[in-house]
Amino acid sequence: DSENVVIGLVGRGIQSSRTPGMHEREARRLGIGYSYLLLDFDRLGFPDAAIGDLIAAAEIAGFHGLNVTHPFKQAVIPVLDVLSPEARAIGAVNTVVFAGGRKEGHNTDGWGFAESFREAMTGASMGCVAMFGAGGAGAAVANALMEMGVGRLFVLDSQPGRASDLASRMGALFGGRVETWPDPAAAVRMADGIVNTTPVGMAKYPGTPFDTALLTAEKWVADIIYFPTETELLVAARTIGCRTLPGIGMAIYQAVRAFELFTGRKADRRAMADHFEAA
Ligand code: SKM
């Protein structure tokens, strides 16, 4: 049909996002009319408090859905009518679908991480994992790791209160197998694998989330940062001989799942990866 799908990305500082390009290119490939707009609160000069009004306005204006990013993934929840089980477990929404007069909240970040991990890290030991960062992305990754069968998850954050909040929320869902760990060195030593969900390693936050001298070759290391493609942490880990997973897969797969929720059509993963490079 000739329907035009209209989607927006709601957040701050999103001008260099590759998500619009991935969605629009995939839609073009499938012959779907599709516009993916940036609704950047920084550019628009809106206060955070306007988020509820913006969601309501987008629905009235005929948008089919929205992706939601920093700093609104939690703030949108109160204005939604229903949450997917995943979004509820994670406590954050990155995908809003307007369907039949209802605002549905989904989270495709956790699935994106899991899918990227399953694809590239077959056979990686899941006994004990240390995760740095207990923010919104950390919640999605923690939920994904536990659903993939991690035996014990240590959550670490520079704000200990955030780590213990996430650990107790996840611990309640996964029978106490999620704990905070005060000592990063001990956590890394005990872990089979380490995941970074902090911003440390992005250009704005140079460095590594822990002392990479603690790594040994049999540990695997994943980062969810995708810009730069290979963070300082991953370079150090690769040099030591660790198996590594960069964040690009999660960035692509969150869009794959969101596209499917918005359109009801399957996105081609290979094509989406090409779109990511081209976007
Ligand atoms: O969860 C994703 C979101 O769907 C899109 C995005 C982006 O394009 O910057 C980042 C993540 O928060």
Side-chain angles (χ1 to χ4, degrees):
D1 62 56
S2 63
E3 192 191 23
N4 192 45
V5 177
V6 183
I7 304 296
L9 174 62
V10 184
R12 289 190 182 276
I14 53 179
Q15 293 301 317
S16 54
S17 168
R18 299 204 192 181
T19 305
M22 283 191 278
H23 282 254
E24 289 187 343
R25 283 176 162 84
E26 185 61 2
R28 202 175 311 137
R29 202 184 61 80
L30 292 168
I32 303 169
Y34 204 99
S35 305
Y36 193 117
L37 312 174
L38 291 178
L39 305 171
D40 187 337
F41 271 49
D42 284 346
R43 280 287 173 96
L44 296 165
F46 289 172
D48 284 2
I51 185 63
D53 287 344
L54 184 124
I55 303 280
E59 184 177 28
I60 289 166
F63 279 62
H64 290 65
L66 301 168
N67 276 135
V68 180
T69 190
H70 181 78
F72 300 120
K73 287 184 180 183
Q74 274 111 27
V76 295
I77 291 177
V79 306
L80 303 177
D81 299 306
V82 54
L83 291 186
S84 72
E86 233 177 350
R88 194 170 324 114
I90 294 165
V93 163
N94 84 320
T95 302
V96 174
V97 177
F98 301 121
R102 289 200 320 175
K103 305 187 233 338
E104 299 173 359
H106 300 263
N107 189 304
T108 70
D109 292 322
W111 185 86
F113 176 80
E115 209 54 22
S116 161
F117 194 95
R118 280 191 283 264
E119 184 183 76
M121 300 294 275
T122 330
S125 175
M126 300 296 261
C128 183
V129 174
M131 186 183 80
F132 286 80
V141 170
N143 188 63
L145 286 167
M146 295 313 291
E147 286 192 334
M148 282 191 286
V150 163
R152 263 179 105 184
L153 181 66
F154 302 141
V155 180
L156 299 100
D157 194 283
S158 55
Q159 295 170 243
R162 281 215 312 189
S164 52
D165 283 354
L166 179 60
S168 57
R169 226 158 42 71
M170 285 293 148
L173 293 174
F174 294 100
R177 292 180 291 125
V178 187
E179 312 154 53
T180 47
W181 208 261
D183 176 12
V188 171
R189 273 193 214 101
M190 288 175 68
D192 300 303
I194 299 109
V195 185
N196 177 44
T197 73
T198 78
V200 178
M202 295 172 63
K204 263 208 289 189
Y205 307 93
T208 59
F210 59 90
D211 180 3
T212 53
L214 295 161
L215 290 172
T216 50
E218 73 284 357
K219 299 182 192 296
W220 55 263
V221 181
D223 207 323
I224 68 162
I225 293 170
Y226 63 87
F227 190 77
T229 322
E230 194 181 40
T231 56
E232 206 175 313
L233 169 63
L234 292 188
V235 172
R238 177 171 53 76
T239 307
I240 289 162
C242 303
R243 214 168 153 189
T244 61
L245 180 71
I248 177 171
M250 180 180 180
I252 294 166
Y253 289 138
Q254 62 78 25
V256 165
R257 182 73 140 206
F259 184 91
E260 292 171 358
L261 288 166
F262 292 145
T263 64
R265 302 275 300 273
K266 272 245 164 297
D268 182 273
R269 289 143 183 256
R270 280 283 195 66
M272 284 297 255
D274 293 342
H275 304 326
F276 180 89
E277 296 302 336

